[in-house]
Amino acid sequence: MVETNLVNPLLIHFCRELTIQLDSLSNSQATINPTEFAELIATATHEVLDAYVSGEFDLQAYRSSTTEEYKELAQKSIDSYAATNMKIGEITERHAELLGETTASALIDFGKISEKFSAIQDHLSDEVTRANDVIYTLLEQVKTLEMKTSLDPLTKAFNRYALQEHLKAVLEKEKLDFESFALMIDVDNFKLINDRFGHIAGDKVLIFIAKLLKKALRDGDRVYRFGGEEFIILLNRTDSAGAQLVAERLLNLCRNNKPLFQNQQIPVTLSIGLTKIIEGDTMDAIITRSDVALYRAKKNGKDRLEMEF
């Protein structure tokens, strides 16, 4: 049984998974039938449980790394709500005072009433605008906080922010500790997969590829989702020949293992661009070289490896 204090993080994780699935589906259709929705629920539940059981979703690290920042945002939200509530309360009291003045007078000064109502309306409008501005700012801060977490919510691979932080730490050293290589990987014909099988199938293909890549690598090697259907792998403590062997093994694994969606096997292949990380490198230079090699692999027929040193 999952401990009570772990339920909220798991529930949040489940909601994120479901949101991702719904967002993907909304790009291709306006409505969803009960069967499709049940499949989305099942997929989100499976991903959360799989992450928990495999240890990919580190609940303790999740809490310790984000709790204080989320507490701060929550406090800001509470303070903002309290201030808005107080301000609107003051405006309501002024409204009541105005009504009291009108009922106490035998003759009603419509000009005065109109002027006061206009002032009240302006104050209320200003307060609503201020509250909306605060909400927008808090939402942007939440987005920034989400970006700073290390895992891609769909594939559970490391995300682009984690890649930047890792490479920054490596490249800041005057001398590299060991030989390292970068593989840029692209899922071939991914748009056709989405068009033929749907966006839910496309998401499952990405999840499948990420799991395949992670299981095929050593503990010290890392898989990052760079964007869309592109992944980057950082290999360390190997040489050029070893890096090529890893890339070829990944190509073969992908050819020989097909993800299943609604009892249909989806054929998937990869194109890979390989480059070596050298002293004095920058992240942009590494990405550019590996991207050049990847483009060449695509141009030369896909389902292959190309290198750029």
Side-chain angles (χ1 to χ4, degrees):
M1 180 178 292
V2 178
E3 296 177 22
T4 304
N5 63 336
L6 302 185
V7 172
N8 284 346
L10 286 175
L11 182 60
I12 292 170
H13 199 57
F14 169 80
C15 291
R16 287 176 180 168
E17 290 289 343
L18 185 59
T19 299
I20 290 166
Q21 301 288 348
L22 289 171
D23 285 345
S24 297
L25 193 64
S26 66
N27 293 328
S28 58
Q29 61 189 67
T31 60
I32 182 171
N33 61 49
T35 301
E36 288 177 317
F37 188 70
E39 185 170 350
L40 292 183
I41 294 291
T43 298
T45 302
H46 174 76
E47 290 303 321
V48 171
L49 292 177
D50 186 50
Y52 177 69
V53 172
S54 66
E56 293 176 16
F57 183 46
D58 188 339
L59 292 169
Q60 186 60 44
Y62 177 88
R63 288 198 301 273
S64 62
S65 63
T66 60
T67 297
E68 292 305 319
E69 291 177 276
Y70 275 117
K71 278 183 180 178
E72 183 179 348
L73 283 178
Q75 189 60 52
K76 288 181 181 178
S77 300
I78 293 170
D79 292 344
S80 175
Y81 173 80
T84 298
N85 194 45
M86 184 178 298
K87 189 69 175 180
I88 292 178
E90 293 174 358
I91 293 172
T92 303
E93 289 179 2
R94 294 180 62 183
H95 191 182
E97 289 174 2
L98 174 60
L99 291 177
E101 291 176 9
T102 58
T103 53
S105 303
L107 299 176
I108 298 175
D109 187 338
F110 286 103
K112 182 179 179 182
I113 291 176
S114 177
E115 181 181 340
K116 289 194 174 183
F117 265 119
S118 179
I120 290 172
Q121 185 176 358
D122 288 342
H123 285 306
L124 190 57
S125 177
D126 290 343
E127 185 55 29
V128 170
T129 299
R130 187 201 69 80
N132 285 336
D133 289 342
V134 171
I135 291 171
Y136 176 80
T137 300
L138 292 173
L139 286 175
E140 289 300 307
Q141 291 177 4
V142 168
K143 288 180 181 178
T144 300
L145 184 56
E146 290 295 331
M147 182 192 71
K148 289 170 62 178
T149 59
S150 62
L151 292 182
D152 172 60
L154 177 65
T155 64
K156 305 304 182 298
F158 289 104
N159 61 16
R160 191 164 181 165
Y161 176 82
L163 172 65
Q164 292 172 339
E165 292 301 300
H166 185 193
L167 278 178
K168 180 181 177 182
V170 171
L171 298 176
E172 282 178 348
K173 298 180 180 179
E174 294 183 3
K175 183 175 178 60
L176 299 179
D177 297 331
F178 37 74
E179 285 191 284
S180 298
F181 295 82
L183 300 175
M184 180 172 281
I185 301 170
D186 186 82
V187 180
D188 293 329
N189 305 313
F190 186 71
K191 183 178 184 302
L192 295 179
I193 293 174
N194 276 334
D195 291 344
R196 179 181 174 186
F197 298 97
H199 287 273
I200 294 177
D203 286 347
K204 289 196 171 184
V205 166
L206 294 177
I207 294 168
F208 170 83
I209 293 297
K211 289 182 177 179
L212 183 147
L213 296 177
K214 286 186 285 186
K215 289 179 180 178
L217 298 174
R218 301 167 302 172
D219 290 340
D221 300 325
R222 294 189 175 188
V223 181
Y224 302 85
R225 187 181 180 192
F226 188 65
E229 65 272 22
E230 288 187 331
F231 295 86
I232 285 181
I233 293 176
L234 297 183
L235 302 174
N236 58 59
R237 301 181 187 278
T238 188
D239 55 17
S240 178
Q244 292 177 55
L245 285 175
V246 171
E248 293 292 349
R249 183 167 74 247
L250 295 177
L251 291 174
N252 285 325
L253 281 172
C254 195
R255 294 182 193 118
N256 297 324
N257 293 273
K258 298 177 176 62
L260 192 67
F261 179 72
Q262 295 182 344
N263 296 321
Q264 297 184 74
Q265 285 190 326
I266 304 176
V268 181
T269 60
L270 305 175
S271 293
I272 302 178
L274 169 66
T275 192
K276 182 179 180 180
I277 300 173
I278 58 178
E279 291 178 9
D281 238 337
T282 64
M283 179 172 173
D284 288 344
I286 294 168
I287 298 302
T288 297
R289 290 198 307 273
S290 57
D291 194 44
V292 167
L294 176 63
Y295 176 79
R296 192 183 306 127
K298 291 286 189 183
K299 186 177 179 181
N300 290 339
K302 304 176 182 178
D303 189 21
R304 61 183 293 116
L305 165 70
E306 293 288 347
M307 295 170 284
E308 181 74 16
F309 293 108

